[in-house]
Amino acid sequence: MGMFEAVARVVHEAELQLGDGVWELRPADSDLVRQTAAALTDAVGPAEAHEALPRIERLAALREALAAVAVTVARTHGPLAWFLADASSHLAPVLHWRALDAPDNRTFGAVLPAGDELADAEAAVRHLAAMLTRTGHSA
């Protein structure tokens, strides 16, 4: 299962919980949701523009997105933290990716992502950002 599919499952579960009233977004979390959505959108732009960037910039943007999610998880508790922690766990492989060649192969286990892996991770971030944007505006 790719990152997009995994994040889409988590997003779907969150949308069901929000829709069923199982999870009610606290007022204090609404601002965090909007801030996180904006940070994700700023980090990983539209596919057409983003996929034209060099691999090193695409990877940096994905790491920035993951950092934004981690900061939000650190600032909240309960369902929002659980949701974002689950989503971030599916995005965590980007932390083991590298953008540079390593002729001596001393990379601490970091690997070069395939082109489709970058695109998949970027699509997952966009999907998460879209859900947070919808949720933040409806709160």
Side-chain angles (χ1 to χ4, degrees):
M1 170 176 24
M3 284 187 206
F4 178 83
E5 185 180 343
V7 170
R9 284 176 158 182
V10 177
V11 164
H12 180 70
E13 180 182 345
E15 290 172 332
L16 288 175
Q17 288 188 23
L18 287 163
D20 292 345
V22 174
W23 170 20
E24 292 184 24
L25 198 63
R26 299 178 312 179
D29 287 340
S30 295
D31 286 337
L32 283 173
V33 166
R34 286 189 289 276
Q35 290 169 9
T36 305
L40 295 179
T41 301
D42 288 346
V44 178
E48 306 78 37
H50 205 76
E51 291 176 5
L53 296 173
R55 180 174 53 201
I56 195 165
E57 290 181 35
R58 292 173 73 185
L59 182 54
L62 285 167
R63 289 177 177 164
E64 185 178 323
L66 192 55
V69 173
V71 167
T72 302
V73 170
R75 292 182 176 167
T76 191
H77 303 281
L80 179 59
W82 305 332
F83 161 61
L84 290 176
D86 192 14
S88 68
S89 70
H90 297 293
L91 295 168
V94 304
L95 298 175
H96 297 285
W97 292 348
R98 62 185 167 89
L100 303 174
D101 291 327
D104 61 1
N105 225 16
R106 295 182 180 179
T107 64
F108 299 97
V111 297
L112 290 168
D116 60 335
E117 288 180 311
L118 281 171
D120 185 51
E122 291 160 349
V125 169
R126 286 186 202 96
H127 189 63
L128 180 58
M131 180 274 191
L132 291 172
T133 298
R134 289 189 304 273
T135 301
H137 289 306
S138 65

